[in-house]
Amino acid sequence: MASHAVSQENGYMPGIPFNIVIGLALPPAGLTRSGISITSALTLLPPLRSHPARAANAPASFPAVTRNAMTARRPIAAAEDAARVPDHQGLDHVRTRHPSARGQGDEARVKKLQMP
């Protein structure tokens, strides 16, 4: 419940590794948080943390994603699993690594995002 208030206020959880790295990567790319849409294409929970998503599930889950948000803002596809759906749907998007990759500091992960 404590996290709910933070999420409601910001629209995301600013203190988690994923969002820390995204926050550091956006300004050098000339992007802002309000100008992009980071939307999970998959609503399925994997059996383990960092478990790859089954490719067959990605297109079936796309209707659960708000297509409006993906076309009104620049979609960012973090990792190959996330890129399959916009590729399949023909949506222009930025392909990049997943910002939560383990074993590296935030600055090293920012450099590997390679956002235009």
Side-chain angles (χ1 to χ4, degrees), residues 2-86:
S3 297
H4 180 73
V6 173
S7 179
Q8 287 293 105
E9 182 179 332
N10 295 290
Y12 65 99
M13 293 298 296
I16 64 172
F18 179 98
N19 287 321
I20 290 170
V21 173
I22 292 293
L24 293 170
L26 291 176
L31 300 170
T32 63
R33 181 61 91 151
S34 64
I36 64 165
S37 174
I38 301 175
T39 306
S40 176
L42 298 164
T43 57
L44 308 173
L45 295 175
L48 303 167
R49 184 176 174 199
S50 298
H51 188 273
R54 289 187 51 214
N57 291 338
S61 72
F62 189 77
V65 176
T66 307
R67 188 177 179 97
N68 235 359
M70 292 186 75
T71 55
R73 297 178 177 183
R74 184 109 191 245
I76 307 286
E80 290 304 308
D81 287 342
R84 285 188 191 110
V85 174

Side-chain angles (χ1 to χ4, degrees), residues 76-79 95-101 104 109 112-114:
I76 307 286
R95 281 179 103 95
T96 189
R97 291 176 169 231
H98 198 285
S100 295
Q104 303 164 14
R109 290 186 284 183
K112 290 185 178 182
L113 285 181
Q114 302 169 353

